[in-house]
Amino acid sequence: MRSTRGRLVVAVSSLLLAALVILGATSIVILRQNLVNQVESTLYLSNESAQNQVSSSLEQNDALPRFDDFSIVIPPDGFFLVLEGRDPRLSAFFTRDYSYRPLSSTEIEELRAQPFAPGDTRTMTLQDYGNYLVTASLVDSPQSGSYTVVTGIGLTDTDAVIMSYIIWITAVGLGVAALAATFGYRLITRELDPLEHVTQVAQQVAATPLSSGEVEQQGRVPRDPRLRGSEADRVAIALNGLLEHVESSLNARHRAEESMRRFIAEASHELRNPLASIRGYADFYSQSPADPEELANVLGRVGSEAKRMSTLVDDLLLLARLDADPRVRKEEVDLSQVVLETVSDVRFAFPEHVWQIALPDDAVNVIGDEDAIRQMLLNLVANAGHHTPTGTRVRISIERHDGEFLLAVDDNGPGIPAAAIPTLFDRFTQAGDETSVTRNSTVGLGLAIVKALATASGYDVSVRSDERGTRFMVGIPR
């Protein structure tokens, strides 16, 4: 992550510096062109003034003006030279302190060594004075022939301005790049800190064994309030959500495995005794004659145990069918009639309980699968009968709520432990403890079947329990 920060800072600083270089180079070119254009304007005025002076003197006197008798407009650090062919006839060099003198022979030779055509403008270099912008023009005399007037303006001030500008823009550019690198590193560090935490949490999770057993809560990526809504903050939220999902899924898998192991142990225990009895009786009576009355009793016991095993297998097959194809019939069902018939049947199965009914005056008709609704209600009342003590009052009611009918089973038993509520509808779950009353041995599939049938029918099933009793509710849309 640190190398990433460094690369980002270098990349951003390089791009900014490149932009500053391009901007600086462009501005230097534009500035120099403007300054040279100003010098060119001055040069053309000076050259025109020199032409007019020379031409006027030739017309009036048929001679060039004397050195101390002309009014040529030449700025400081400029010169002019009048050539007849290649021979110098008149020259002047205007110094920066506004004095003037004739051009020296060396200076004249430097100019004549760089000949150019009249009307051409170019840059020349004088060894002791630097660069000059020079132009030439031709002046004709009827008596004396033609003369070439060469005028030059120094570029020293222009070059000095350009050099100062280059130095300043370089210093400013380097300063801006340094500030950008400093603040960019701080900004990038602040932005990438959540990703650093993401990496640490991901490495911690990768080092945690998750293949088996219950998964302890892993670390979470802290969220920086300053970065709410940023990409890094969304990555942190996504990873935290992923960890919560993985933990809950793995713990659900662990609970299912534990429930399966408990189911296998209990189912083995439940099936071992009847199977051993059936096998023992079969082996014994296959080898010796049996009394008909005793044989009938034995066969009744064998049938009872076989029925228990058949019920267990039927429950498992029902859950497997709902997993594979969770579709049920959709037809009109008289819910009140289902409640009446179910409670009438359960009174004989659990006569020691007090059974009560609370139904609306009018018949309650809903859309659903009658067999599924009957199975759900039967499992709920059987659950109350199995897991509550003798004399418990159980009340089955239908209540009208906004948009749905609520089928409720209430009892005033000891209640369900709070720790068991979240997994109560899981398969093979038994919520009883050492002090709970269980009328018949169960393997924890009844409420799982209720949940599966409710989900397939589009109903909502819930439970509420405390020390005053338990209430199971099935919400059925009208």
mmCIF file of all heavy atoms in Angstrom, residues 331-368:
data_model
loop_
_atom_site.group_PDB
_atom_site.id
_atom_site.type_symbol
_atom_site.label_atom_id
_atom_site.label_comp_id
_atom_site.label_asym_id
_atom_site.label_seq_id
_atom_site.Cartn_x
_atom_site.Cartn_y
_atom_site.Cartn_z
ATOM 1 N N GLU A 331 -56.306 -22.227 -3.583
ATOM 2 C CA GLU A 331 -57.751 -22.403 -3.659
ATOM 3 C C GLU A 331 -58.385 -21.749 -2.438
ATOM 4 O O GLU A 331 -57.695 -21.396 -1.476
ATOM 5 C CB GLU A 331 -58.100 -23.896 -3.704
ATOM 6 C CG GLU A 331 -57.566 -24.686 -2.512
ATOM 7 C CD GLU A 331 -57.733 -26.173 -2.672
ATOM 8 O OE1 GLU A 331 -58.061 -26.592 -3.786
ATOM 9 O OE2 GLU A 331 -57.528 -26.898 -1.686
ATOM 10 N N GLU A 332 -59.696 -21.598 -2.501
ATOM 11 C CA GLU A 332 -60.400 -20.982 -1.377
ATOM 12 C C GLU A 332 -60.544 -21.997 -0.249
ATOM 13 O O GLU A 332 -60.978 -23.135 -0.470
ATOM 14 C CB GLU A 332 -61.766 -20.477 -1.815
ATOM 15 C CG GLU A 332 -62.477 -19.670 -0.737
ATOM 16 C CD GLU A 332 -63.757 -19.033 -1.233
ATOM 17 O OE1 GLU A 332 -63.973 -19.021 -2.470
ATOM 18 O OE2 GLU A 332 -64.538 -18.559 -0.396
ATOM 19 N N VAL A 333 -60.155 -21.568 0.964
ATOM 20 C CA VAL A 333 -60.153 -22.447 2.130
ATOM 21 C C VAL A 333 -60.968 -21.790 3.231
ATOM 22 O O VAL A 333 -60.803 -20.600 3.520
ATOM 23 C CB VAL A 333 -58.708 -22.726 2.615
ATOM 24 C CG1 VAL A 333 -58.729 -23.639 3.837
ATOM 25 C CG2 VAL A 333 -57.875 -23.344 1.499
ATOM 26 N N ASP A 334 -61.841 -22.580 3.863
ATOM 27 C CA ASP A 334 -62.597 -22.110 5.025
ATOM 28 C C ASP A 334 -61.700 -22.276 6.257
ATOM 29 O O ASP A 334 -61.606 -23.366 6.821
ATOM 30 C CB ASP A 334 -63.899 -22.900 5.167
ATOM 31 C CG ASP A 334 -64.808 -22.331 6.250
ATOM 32 O OD1 ASP A 334 -64.316 -21.540 7.093
ATOM 33 O OD2 ASP A 334 -65.999 -22.686 6.275
ATOM 34 N N LEU A 335 -61.043 -21.206 6.654
ATOM 35 C CA LEU A 335 -60.070 -21.272 7.740
ATOM 36 C C LEU A 335 -60.751 -21.611 9.072
ATOM 37 O O LEU A 335 -60.189 -22.351 9.891
ATOM 38 C CB LEU A 335 -59.312 -19.939 7.839
ATOM 39 C CG LEU A 335 -58.130 -19.898 8.812
ATOM 40 C CD1 LEU A 335 -57.078 -20.928 8.434
ATOM 41 C CD2 LEU A 335 -57.503 -18.498 8.824
ATOM 42 N N SER A 336 -61.942 -21.121 9.281
ATOM 43 C CA SER A 336 -62.649 -21.417 10.535
ATOM 44 C C SER A 336 -62.934 -22.909 10.653
ATOM 45 O O SER A 336 -62.773 -23.509 11.725
ATOM 46 C CB SER A 336 -63.962 -20.629 10.583
ATOM 47 O OG SER A 336 -63.722 -19.237 10.522
ATOM 48 N N GLN A 337 -63.354 -23.538 9.544
ATOM 49 C CA GLN A 337 -63.631 -24.963 9.564
ATOM 50 C C GLN A 337 -62.377 -25.767 9.855
ATOM 51 O O GLN A 337 -62.397 -26.758 10.597
ATOM 52 C CB GLN A 337 -64.249 -25.387 8.216
ATOM 53 C CG GLN A 337 -64.705 -26.838 8.141
ATOM 54 C CD GLN A 337 -65.874 -27.122 9.075
ATOM 55 O OE1 GLN A 337 -66.662 -26.219 9.388
ATOM 56 N NE2 GLN A 337 -65.976 -28.349 9.552
ATOM 57 N N VAL A 338 -61.239 -25.348 9.283
ATOM 58 C CA VAL A 338 -59.973 -26.046 9.530
ATOM 59 C C VAL A 338 -59.621 -25.985 11.018
ATOM 60 O O VAL A 338 -59.189 -26.977 11.625
ATOM 61 C CB VAL A 338 -58.844 -25.436 8.670
ATOM 62 C CG1 VAL A 338 -57.489 -26.014 9.059
ATOM 63 C CG2 VAL A 338 -59.108 -25.684 7.202
ATOM 64 N N VAL A 339 -59.815 -24.825 11.643
ATOM 65 C CA VAL A 339 -59.495 -24.685 13.069
ATOM 66 C C VAL A 339 -60.405 -25.583 13.899
ATOM 67 O O VAL A 339 -59.936 -26.288 14.820
ATOM 68 C CB VAL A 339 -59.641 -23.208 13.498
ATOM 69 C CG1 VAL A 339 -59.537 -23.075 15.012
ATOM 70 C CG2 VAL A 339 -58.580 -22.352 12.820
ATOM 71 N N LEU A 340 -61.677 -25.592 13.601
ATOM 72 C CA LEU A 340 -62.619 -26.411 14.368
ATOM 73 C C LEU A 340 -62.257 -27.894 14.273
ATOM 74 O O LEU A 340 -62.228 -28.606 15.285
ATOM 75 C CB LEU A 340 -64.044 -26.171 13.869
ATOM 76 C CG LEU A 340 -64.658 -24.799 14.204
ATOM 77 C CD1 LEU A 340 -65.997 -24.612 13.486
ATOM 78 C CD2 LEU A 340 -64.845 -24.660 15.710
ATOM 79 N N GLU A 341 -61.987 -28.361 13.087
ATOM 80 C CA GLU A 341 -61.683 -29.783 12.916
ATOM 81 C C GLU A 341 -60.350 -30.150 13.570
ATOM 82 O O GLU A 341 -60.221 -31.221 14.181
ATOM 83 C CB GLU A 341 -61.656 -30.123 11.421
ATOM 84 C CG GLU A 341 -63.023 -29.997 10.748
ATOM 85 C CD GLU A 341 -62.947 -30.235 9.257
ATOM 86 O OE1 GLU A 341 -61.814 -30.418 8.745
ATOM 87 O OE2 GLU A 341 -64.004 -30.207 8.584
ATOM 88 N N THR A 342 -59.351 -29.286 13.454
ATOM 89 C CA THR A 342 -58.042 -29.591 14.030
ATOM 90 C C THR A 342 -58.117 -29.641 15.553
ATOM 91 O O THR A 342 -57.571 -30.554 16.192
ATOM 92 C CB THR A 342 -57.012 -28.542 13.592
ATOM 93 O OG1 THR A 342 -56.948 -28.513 12.165
ATOM 94 C CG2 THR A 342 -55.636 -28.868 14.148
ATOM 95 N N VAL A 343 -58.779 -28.660 16.160
ATOM 96 C CA VAL A 343 -58.888 -28.647 17.614
ATOM 97 C C VAL A 343 -59.715 -29.838 18.098
ATOM 98 O O VAL A 343 -59.426 -30.441 19.147
ATOM 99 C CB VAL A 343 -59.491 -27.311 18.083
ATOM 100 C CG1 VAL A 343 -59.743 -27.328 19.593
ATOM 101 C CG2 VAL A 343 -58.576 -26.165 17.709
ATOM 102 N N SER A 344 -60.753 -30.212 17.337
ATOM 103 C CA SER A 344 -61.551 -31.376 17.710
ATOM 104 C C SER A 344 -60.692 -32.637 17.732
ATOM 105 O O SER A 344 -60.823 -33.485 18.628
ATOM 106 C CB SER A 344 -62.710 -31.537 16.725
ATOM 107 O OG SER A 344 -63.472 -32.698 17.028
ATOM 108 N N ASP A 345 -59.781 -32.766 16.769
ATOM 109 C CA ASP A 345 -58.915 -33.945 16.737
ATOM 110 C C ASP A 345 -57.879 -33.919 17.853
ATOM 111 O O ASP A 345 -57.574 -34.945 18.463
ATOM 112 C CB ASP A 345 -58.199 -34.032 15.383
ATOM 113 C CG ASP A 345 -59.165 -34.265 14.233
ATOM 114 O OD1 ASP A 345 -60.282 -34.759 14.499
ATOM 115 O OD2 ASP A 345 -58.805 -33.946 13.082
ATOM 116 N N VAL A 346 -57.324 -32.721 18.140
ATOM 117 C CA VAL A 346 -56.211 -32.649 19.085
ATOM 118 C C VAL A 346 -56.693 -32.838 20.531
ATOM 119 O O VAL A 346 -55.918 -33.187 21.416
ATOM 120 C CB VAL A 346 -55.453 -31.321 18.913
ATOM 121 C CG1 VAL A 346 -56.155 -30.176 19.632
ATOM 122 C CG2 VAL A 346 -54.022 -31.440 19.424
ATOM 123 N N ARG A 347 -58.001 -32.617 20.789
ATOM 124 C CA ARG A 347 -58.517 -32.821 22.139
ATOM 125 C C ARG A 347 -58.331 -34.277 22.576
ATOM 126 O O ARG A 347 -58.078 -34.549 23.758
ATOM 127 C CB ARG A 347 -60.008 -32.461 22.192
ATOM 128 C CG ARG A 347 -60.313 -30.984 22.086
ATOM 129 C CD ARG A 347 -61.817 -30.761 22.156
ATOM 130 N NE ARG A 347 -62.196 -29.391 21.831
ATOM 131 C CZ ARG A 347 -62.227 -28.397 22.707
ATOM 132 N NH1 ARG A 347 -61.905 -28.634 23.964
ATOM 133 N NH2 ARG A 347 -62.595 -27.179 22.339
ATOM 134 N N PHE A 348 -58.457 -35.176 21.622
ATOM 135 C CA PHE A 348 -58.307 -36.594 21.957
ATOM 136 C C PHE A 348 -56.831 -36.976 22.076
ATOM 137 O O PHE A 348 -56.490 -37.898 22.817
ATOM 138 C CB PHE A 348 -58.988 -37.451 20.885
ATOM 139 C CG PHE A 348 -60.478 -37.271 20.851
ATOM 140 C CD1 PHE A 348 -61.075 -36.405 19.941
ATOM 141 C CD2 PHE A 348 -61.296 -37.953 21.737
ATOM 142 C CE1 PHE A 348 -62.443 -36.233 19.905
ATOM 143 C CE2 PHE A 348 -62.679 -37.786 21.717
ATOM 144 C CZ PHE A 348 -63.254 -36.923 20.798
ATOM 145 N N ALA A 349 -55.943 -36.289 21.348
ATOM 146 C CA ALA A 349 -54.516 -36.596 21.437
ATOM 147 C C ALA A 349 -53.917 -36.070 22.739
ATOM 148 O O ALA A 349 -53.017 -36.700 23.319
ATOM 149 C CB ALA A 349 -53.768 -36.018 20.235
ATOM 150 N N PHE A 350 -54.414 -34.930 23.227
ATOM 151 C CA PHE A 350 -53.885 -34.335 24.465
ATOM 152 C C PHE A 350 -55.064 -33.953 25.366
ATOM 153 O O PHE A 350 -55.366 -32.759 25.549
ATOM 154 C CB PHE A 350 -53.027 -33.103 24.148
ATOM 155 C CG PHE A 350 -51.874 -33.379 23.223
ATOM 156 C CD1 PHE A 350 -51.994 -33.141 21.863
ATOM 157 C CD2 PHE A 350 -50.688 -33.910 23.708
ATOM 158 C CE1 PHE A 350 -50.947 -33.403 20.999
ATOM 159 C CE2 PHE A 350 -49.631 -34.177 22.851
ATOM 160 C CZ PHE A 350 -49.758 -33.928 21.490
ATOM 161 N N PRO A 351 -55.732 -34.930 25.929
ATOM 162 C CA PRO A 351 -56.926 -34.632 26.730
ATOM 163 C C PRO A 351 -56.617 -33.908 28.026
ATOM 164 O O PRO A 351 -57.520 -33.312 28.630
ATOM 165 C CB PRO A 351 -57.531 -36.017 26.981
ATOM 166 C CG PRO A 351 -56.368 -36.944 26.876
ATOM 167 C CD PRO A 351 -55.450 -36.360 25.848
ATOM 168 N N GLU A 352 -55.350 -33.947 28.491
ATOM 169 C CA GLU A 352 -55.014 -33.324 29.764
ATOM 170 C C GLU A 352 -54.798 -31.814 29.626
ATOM 171 O O GLU A 352 -54.605 -31.132 30.635
ATOM 172 C CB GLU A 352 -53.763 -33.964 30.364
ATOM 173 C CG GLU A 352 -52.473 -33.735 29.575
ATOM 174 C CD GLU A 352 -52.324 -34.696 28.401
ATOM 175 O OE1 GLU A 352 -53.273 -35.459 28.112
ATOM 176 O OE2 GLU A 352 -51.248 -34.683 27.767
ATOM 177 N N HIS A 353 -54.809 -31.286 28.423
ATOM 178 C CA HIS A 353 -54.692 -29.849 28.206
ATOM 179 C C HIS A 353 -56.072 -29.211 28.113
ATOM 180 O O HIS A 353 -57.071 -29.884 27.839
ATOM 181 C CB HIS A 353 -53.907 -29.543 26.927
ATOM 182 C CG HIS A 353 -52.432 -29.728 27.071
ATOM 183 N ND1 HIS A 353 -51.847 -30.933 27.383
ATOM 184 C CD2 HIS A 353 -51.401 -28.836 26.940
ATOM 185 C CE1 HIS A 353 -50.537 -30.805 27.436
ATOM 186 N NE2 HIS A 353 -50.241 -29.516 27.166
ATOM 187 N N VAL A 354 -56.112 -27.905 28.342
ATOM 188 C CA VAL A 354 -57.355 -27.144 28.206
ATOM 189 C C VAL A 354 -57.315 -26.434 26.862
ATOM 190 O O VAL A 354 -56.458 -25.566 26.633
ATOM 191 C CB VAL A 354 -57.501 -26.121 29.354
ATOM 192 C CG1 VAL A 354 -58.788 -25.319 29.181
ATOM 193 C CG2 VAL A 354 -57.490 -26.831 30.694
ATOM 194 N N TRP A 355 -58.244 -26.796 25.978
ATOM 195 C CA TRP A 355 -58.236 -26.258 24.621
ATOM 196 C C TRP A 355 -59.366 -25.252 24.461
ATOM 197 O O TRP A 355 -60.513 -25.517 24.830
ATOM 198 C CB TRP A 355 -58.392 -27.390 23.606
ATOM 199 C CG TRP A 355 -57.261 -28.379 23.669
ATOM 200 C CD1 TRP A 355 -57.234 -29.536 24.367
ATOM 201 C CD2 TRP A 355 -55.997 -28.242 23.050
ATOM 202 N NE1 TRP A 355 -56.021 -30.180 24.220
ATOM 203 C CE2 TRP A 355 -55.242 -29.387 23.405
ATOM 204 C CE3 TRP A 355 -55.414 -27.285 22.223
ATOM 205 C CZ2 TRP A 355 -53.939 -29.599 22.979
ATOM 206 C CZ3 TRP A 355 -54.126 -27.499 21.778
ATOM 207 C CH2 TRP A 355 -53.389 -28.627 22.156
ATOM 208 N N GLN A 356 -59.025 -24.079 23.912
ATOM 209 C CA GLN A 356 -60.005 -23.004 23.715
ATOM 210 C C GLN A 356 -59.929 -22.509 22.276
ATOM 211 O O GLN A 356 -58.877 -22.590 21.628
ATOM 212 C CB GLN A 356 -59.744 -21.834 24.675
ATOM 213 C CG GLN A 356 -59.859 -22.196 26.137
ATOM 214 C CD GLN A 356 -59.533 -21.027 27.047
ATOM 215 O OE1 GLN A 356 -59.012 -20.013 26.591
ATOM 216 N NE2 GLN A 356 -59.831 -21.173 28.335
ATOM 217 N N ILE A 357 -61.077 -21.997 21.790
ATOM 218 C CA ILE A 357 -61.168 -21.486 20.420
ATOM 219 C C ILE A 357 -61.749 -20.078 20.472
ATOM 220 O O ILE A 357 -62.698 -19.812 21.226
ATOM 221 C CB ILE A 357 -62.050 -22.386 19.534
ATOM 222 C CG1 ILE A 357 -61.453 -23.789 19.428
ATOM 223 C CG2 ILE A 357 -62.197 -21.788 18.138
ATOM 224 C CD1 ILE A 357 -62.323 -24.739 18.655
ATOM 225 N N ALA A 358 -61.199 -19.187 19.665
ATOM 226 C CA ALA A 358 -61.733 -17.821 19.523
ATOM 227 C C ALA A 358 -61.799 -17.490 18.039
ATOM 228 O O ALA A 358 -60.766 -17.244 17.405
ATOM 229 C CB ALA A 358 -60.863 -16.815 20.268
ATOM 230 N N LEU A 359 -63.029 -17.555 17.479
ATOM 231 C CA LEU A 359 -63.208 -17.346 16.043
ATOM 232 C C LEU A 359 -64.140 -16.168 15.800
ATOM 233 O O LEU A 359 -65.029 -15.883 16.625
ATOM 234 C CB LEU A 359 -63.790 -18.607 15.395
ATOM 235 C CG LEU A 359 -62.974 -19.895 15.533
ATOM 236 C CD1 LEU A 359 -63.721 -21.054 14.886
ATOM 237 C CD2 LEU A 359 -61.605 -19.734 14.904
ATOM 238 N N PRO A 360 -64.015 -15.486 14.674
ATOM 239 C CA PRO A 360 -64.965 -14.425 14.326
ATOM 240 C C PRO A 360 -66.357 -15.013 14.112
ATOM 241 O O PRO A 360 -66.522 -16.211 13.878
ATOM 242 C CB PRO A 360 -64.388 -13.843 13.032
ATOM 243 C CG PRO A 360 -62.963 -14.270 13.011
ATOM 244 C CD PRO A 360 -62.909 -15.582 13.710
ATOM 245 N N ASP A 361 -67.387 -14.168 14.204
ATOM 246 C CA ASP A 361 -68.757 -14.627 14.006
ATOM 247 C C ASP A 361 -68.984 -15.113 12.585
ATOM 248 O O ASP A 361 -69.709 -16.088 12.368
ATOM 249 C CB ASP A 361 -69.733 -13.488 14.332
ATOM 250 C CG ASP A 361 -69.681 -13.118 15.815
ATOM 251 O OD1 ASP A 361 -69.292 -13.986 16.628
ATOM 252 O OD2 ASP A 361 -69.997 -11.956 16.147
ATOM 253 N N ASP A 362 -68.356 -14.430 11.615
ATOM 254 C CA ASP A 362 -68.514 -14.828 10.212
ATOM 255 C C ASP A 362 -67.428 -15.822 9.831
ATOM 256 O O ASP A 362 -66.336 -15.846 10.416
ATOM 257 C CB ASP A 362 -68.431 -13.605 9.297
ATOM 258 C CG ASP A 362 -69.519 -12.593 9.619
ATOM 259 O OD1 ASP A 362 -70.584 -13.016 10.092
ATOM 260 O OD2 ASP A 362 -69.257 -11.383 9.421
ATOM 261 N N ALA A 363 -67.717 -16.626 8.826
ATOM 262 C CA ALA A 363 -66.723 -17.575 8.317
ATOM 263 C C ALA A 363 -65.553 -16.813 7.707
ATOM 264 O O ALA A 363 -65.728 -15.766 7.074
ATOM 265 C CB ALA A 363 -67.355 -18.502 7.282
ATOM 266 N N VAL A 364 -64.359 -17.354 7.921
ATOM 267 C CA VAL A 364 -63.138 -16.730 7.404
ATOM 268 C C VAL A 364 -62.633 -17.575 6.231
ATOM 269 O O VAL A 364 -62.241 -18.738 6.418
ATOM 270 C CB VAL A 364 -62.058 -16.631 8.501
ATOM 271 C CG1 VAL A 364 -60.786 -16.052 7.911
ATOM 272 C CG2 VAL A 364 -62.558 -15.784 9.650
ATOM 273 N N ASN A 365 -62.653 -17.012 5.033
ATOM 274 C CA ASN A 365 -62.183 -17.700 3.845
ATOM 275 C C ASN A 365 -60.877 -17.056 3.373
ATOM 276 O O ASN A 365 -60.786 -15.824 3.272
ATOM 277 C CB ASN A 365 -63.225 -17.640 2.726
ATOM 278 C CG ASN A 365 -64.494 -18.405 3.083
ATOM 279 O OD1 ASN A 365 -64.423 -19.483 3.674
ATOM 280 N ND2 ASN A 365 -65.650 -17.846 2.743
ATOM 281 N N VAL A 366 -59.897 -17.876 3.091
ATOM 282 C CA VAL A 366 -58.599 -17.399 2.606
ATOM 283 C C VAL A 366 -58.221 -18.201 1.374
ATOM 284 O O VAL A 366 -58.848 -19.219 1.049
ATOM 285 C CB VAL A 366 -57.508 -17.539 3.694
ATOM 286 C CG1 VAL A 366 -57.821 -16.680 4.906
ATOM 287 C CG2 VAL A 366 -57.339 -18.991 4.106
ATOM 288 N N ILE A 367 -57.189 -17.733 0.675
ATOM 289 C CA ILE A 367 -56.660 -18.435 -0.495
ATOM 290 C C ILE A 367 -55.394 -19.172 -0.085
ATOM 291 O O ILE A 367 -54.469 -18.583 0.479
ATOM 292 C CB ILE A 367 -56.354 -17.450 -1.638
ATOM 293 C CG1 ILE A 367 -57.633 -16.729 -2.059
ATOM 294 C CG2 ILE A 367 -55.745 -18.184 -2.821
ATOM 295 C CD1 ILE A 367 -58.720 -17.644 -2.565
ATOM 296 N N GLY A 368 -55.349 -20.469 -0.352
ATOM 297 C CA GLY A 368 -54.181 -21.260 0.003
ATOM 298 C C GLY A 368 -54.408 -22.727 -0.232
ATOM 299 O O GLY A 368 -55.373 -23.135 -0.895
#
